[in-house]
Amino acid sequence: MTDTSVKQAGSRPAGMAAPGSRALGSTLPRILVNSGLAQIVLALILPVAIVAIWQLAGTNGSLFGGVLPTPDRVVSAWWIWAFGPKGMGLNPYSGTWLANVIFSTQRVAQGFLVAILVGVPAGIWIGWSRLGAQILDPTVQMLRPIPITAWLPFSLAVFGISGFSAIFLIALGAFYPIVINTTQGARHVERNLVRAALMMGAGRFDILRRVVLPAALPSIFTGLRIGLGIGWTAVIVSEMIAVKSGLGYVLWDAYYVGRMDVVIADMVSIGVMGLLSDQLILLAERWALSWRLAGAR
Amino acid sequence: MAEITLRQVAKTYFSAVPVRALDSVDLDIAEGEFVALLGPSGCGKSTLLNILAGFEGASEGSALIDGGAIGKPGPDRGVVFQEAALFPWLTVWENVVFGPKMQGVPRSDYEDRAREMLATVGLKDFAQSYPAQLSGGMRQRVGIARVLVMQPRALLMDEPFGALDAQTRMAMQELLLTVWEKLNTTVVFVTHDIDEAILLADRVCVMTARPARIGREIPIALPRPRSIDDLTTPEFTRYKAEIMAEMRSAHRQAETTAA
Ligand SMILES: Nc1ncnc2c1ncn2[C@@H]1O[C@H](COP(=O)(O)OP(=O)(O)OP(=O)(O)O)[C@@H](O)[C@H]1O
Ligand SMILES: [Mg+2]
């Protein structure tokens, strides 16, 4: 194709546009679309437009008669929340952002860890052993339809107004997707891989650790990503009601005193933390499953 | 170095539709003997190998190794699978030393042997690669190396060279003969390839169509050591004609039973 266009270009009188330039014109956008910078730009169009419209639609820093603050108010509220001097009576949030982010993140991390430590072995057992499936699976399936929000009063009654309440709910919420996906992975281990391991003298535990677990790892990671998302939901819900610190607590408290600017800054903070922690899991996945990508390189 | 005796071994798979894969198989394999199993696709060759490996139990009859019932799978019977069945999350090296490691052999005892074995199958430079980065034939060679490293008493090979190109295949056949002559391992070798069966085996067993029995056993009296050059000798051609006739009749039989 390039060959013919060059020939045609050569036979054309000087000064006329060669067909090659038209081809270039149509490939140019494609190059732009594929480059990393272009992808970032494309991804930003919609959010920037929304924020701009939101900003321009407001009068005197708010929309809908003072209900919704404009983005600039949100940013300045966040600024004071993050970097303002601590302990000022007029603004109880001033300077507490990082502490609250850490509170919530810590609870998610602790609950998530518990969910992994319980969910992965349980899933492996259910998926691998018929006995495990018979003992555990019915209970898991029976408890699963109860939403974690329905556990809130129970959790409050048992753990009181404390971080344990939140950790319990996070662990429970993240447990289900982890255990279910791990079960799926462990159930579909290639039979000949297990046979090969047996033939080479592997014992029962070796089979679980060195064959079933790595074979289930791709679906385990799927479960981890879903579970972490639920963990963030659970931390916010429980902090709104059962704990007196963290992003969820601030969210509800700010709403109560009519600080919608802080509410929105809080929502954005939750979103960013969720995104960051998901990226962390993706990174771990890429590392742990590098053997899968090896062929594609 | 293992004696295998099969008496009236039958196998029925109780799947949705019960499949009778083996029907009264009698087979005696002497210690250190090299036996090739030839038979039409789906006749039950892998099934027979699975019984010898201990992956599956026989439905009827007795399967003995060295006079005792064949037990659980173990490193005394090295299996080379039809598809290599390597662990995709382990490197070539880790796959090859998996057996000795599982058996608790000290590293110093197997490391040199494993390295040598990798070199023998021509994969020295791929020790740190993952199976996904190898071709089908290379994977198959890893599957062979990991079994030979265990120095099993019996080798159970399920069409191990089926996926290889002609050149690699010949090299692997010669390698197998060398290893076998050195270790004096008992070998049960499943293949579709008549030339390969004659070249390698002391005895070729032709299986009938499913449900399979051993239709005929043809001892191969060609002198050893054998090489690829033997493929063109008159004796070789005679064996080949005999086996082909046998397989054709097995095939006809299959068609009449199917009808
Ligand atoms: N686990 C199983 N469950 C049910 N049927 C099976 C099972 N394994 C094998 N079979 C059936 O038993 C028969 C023999 O299968 P087998 O794999 O032993 O054949 P084969 O001789 O090795 O064939 P090929 O040369 O194509 O590998 C086939 O009809 C197959 O469908
Ligand atoms: Mg087979």
Side-chain angles (χ1 to χ4, degrees):
Chain A
M1 235 190 79
T2 351
D3 207 5
T4 54
S5 67
V6 166
K7 255 186 227 151
Q8 280 174 354
S11 64
R12 227 162 262 268
M16 253 182 97
S21 69
R22 233 180 76 207
L24 193 71
S26 68
T27 52
L28 209 58
R30 195 168 304 148
I31 292 167
L32 277 179
V33 166
N34 288 335
S35 82
L37 183 72
Q39 279 186 1
I40 294 171
V41 170
L42 287 174
L44 284 178
I45 291 175
L46 195 58
V48 166
I50 290 173
V51 170
I53 292 168
W54 175 10
Q55 178 70 44
L56 293 174
T59 44
N60 292 328
S62 71
L63 278 78
F64 311 129
V67 175
L68 189 64
T70 50
D72 61 322
R73 299 286 167 104
V74 172
V75 170
S76 65
W78 175 78
W79 187 263
I80 292 167
W81 185 20
F83 305 112
K86 234 174 276 184
M88 271 174 51
L90 278 177
N91 187 342
Y93 309 116
S94 176
T96 65
W97 180 79
L98 187 64
N100 282 307
V101 166
I102 289 174
F103 275 131
S104 296
T105 308
Q106 227 165 30
R107 285 173 193 137
V108 170
Q110 287 164 337
F112 191 54
L113 193 69
V114 172
I116 293 174
L117 290 180
V118 180
V120 171
I124 296 272
W125 197 40
I126 296 172
W128 180 244
S129 133
R130 179 168 298 195
L131 184 69
Q134 284 167 335
I135 291 177
L136 282 186
D137 205 33
T139 309
V140 171
Q141 297 308 333
M142 237 147 47
L143 290 176
R144 198 161 68 102
I146 305 172
I148 43 158
T149 41
W151 283 92
L152 243 166
F154 172 88
S155 174
L156 264 172
V158 174
F159 300 103
I161 303 277
S162 77
F164 285 115
S165 256
I167 291 167
F168 169 75
L169 285 184
I170 295 158
L172 189 68
F175 168 77
Y176 294 121
I178 292 176
V179 76
I180 284 162
N181 282 282
T182 305
T183 301
Q184 281 301 317
R187 201 165 271 164
H188 295 113
V189 180
E190 209 184 307
R191 187 174 57 186
N192 273 353
L193 292 186
V194 177
R195 287 179 166 178
L198 285 172
M199 173 271 289
M200 289 187 277
R204 287 176 64 88
F205 186 70
D206 289 321
I207 298 271
L208 285 181
R209 196 171 93 79
R210 295 173 192 276
V211 183
V212 181
L213 181 66
L217 217 49
S219 35
I220 291 177
F221 269 105
T222 307
L224 293 187
R225 289 188 69 189
I226 303 171
L228 191 59
I230 295 181
W232 277 102
T233 309
V235 81
I236 299 308
V237 168
S238 52
E239 282 172 352
M240 287 200 294
I241 293 167
V243 195
K244 293 231 165 290
S245 62
L247 288 172
Y249 170 72
V250 172
L251 189 71
W252 198 241
D253 196 63
Y255 164 75
Y256 241 77
V257 297
R259 288 293 304 271
M260 282 307 287
D261 49 353
V262 175
V263 167
I264 292 168
D266 195 309
M267 288 167 66
V268 175
S269 306
I270 295 166
V272 169
M273 290 314 293
L275 193 71
L276 283 180
S277 54
D278 188 56
Q279 290 296 314
L280 218 60
I281 299 262
L282 274 180
L283 217 65
E285 180 177 14
R286 210 164 301 155
W287 173 78
L289 300 182
S290 56
W291 49 271
R292 268 175 125 202
L293 304 167
R297 248 183 243 143
Chain B
M1 291 196 294
E3 192 184 40
I4 294 168
T5 312
L6 299 180
R7 286 281 168 273
Q8 306 277 307
V9 166
K11 175 74 185 179
T12 305
Y13 287 108
F14 291 100
S15 40
V17 184
V19 177
R20 189 157 177 90
L22 298 178
D23 182 50
S24 178
V25 171
D26 280 298
L27 185 62
D28 289 280
I29 301 173
E31 218 169 277
E33 195 180 7
F34 197 128
V35 168
L37 292 178
L38 266 173
S41 177
C43 77
K45 303 182 294 296
S46 297
T47 302
L48 185 56
L49 228 52
N50 284 342
I51 290 174
L52 294 178
F55 297 146
E56 316 236 19
S59 310
E60 296 159 34
S62 64
L64 309 175
I65 186 161
D66 292 331
I70 287 178
K72 287 193 190 116
D76 58 321
R77 282 153 291 149
V79 179
V80 178
F81 293 85
Q82 204 165 350
E83 290 95 22
L86 304 179
F87 302 120
W89 47 84
L90 299 183
T91 62
V92 166
W93 174 257
E94 291 164 335
N95 266 287
V96 170
V97 301
F98 188 89
K101 243 175 147 171
M102 286 300 104
Q103 295 151 47
V105 177
R107 181 186 267 262
S108 55
D109 284 12
Y110 64 75
E111 220 171 36
D112 288 342
R113 189 155 24 100
R115 209 170 288 128
E116 195 187 327
M117 204 51 79
L118 261 191
T120 317
V121 298
L123 291 172
K124 202 173 62 184
D125 297 339
F126 291 88
Q128 297 312 319
S129 302
Y130 284 97
Q133 294 168 301
L134 305 180
S135 72
M138 291 159 94
R139 271 179 233 157
Q140 202 59 20
R141 283 183 273 161
V142 178
I144 293 166
R146 78 169 172 191
V147 163
L148 291 180
V149 155
M150 301 193 301
Q151 301 182 313
R153 303 196 310 136
L155 267 178
L156 309 173
M157 309 180 85
D158 198 348
E159 294 180 45
F161 307 149
L164 304 185
D165 63 279
Q167 269 162 316
T168 318
R169 191 180 181 120
M170 281 184 212
M172 295 305 299
Q173 287 166 344
E174 295 203 325
L175 161 74
L176 179 60
L177 283 181
T178 318
V179 170
W180 171 68
E181 271 151 25
K182 200 167 82 186
L183 301 177
N184 198 31
T185 322
T186 306
V187 180
V188 183
F189 189 99
V190 170
T191 179
H192 276 140
D193 184 333
I194 301 176
D195 285 359
E196 184 171 67
I198 302 171
L199 180 67
L200 296 176
D202 293 324
R203 185 155 45 115
V204 175
C205 298
V206 181
M207 293 175 77
T208 64
R210 187 163 47 83
R213 283 173 292 104
I214 306 289
R216 225 176 115 207
E217 301 183 19
I218 298 153
I220 307 295
L222 297 174
R224 293 194 190 264
R226 299 177 194 162
S227 79
I228 310 297
D229 302 329
D230 294 330
L231 287 172
T232 48
T233 61
E235 293 101 305
F236 197 99
T237 318
R238 224 184 47 239
Y239 280 124
K240 192 167 174 177
E242 193 179 344
I243 291 170
M244 276 165 81
E246 188 60 39
M247 289 184 83
R248 228 174 276 129
S249 83
H251 186 67
R252 258 199 308 278
Q253 223 178 321
E255 278 181 338
T256 44
T257 26

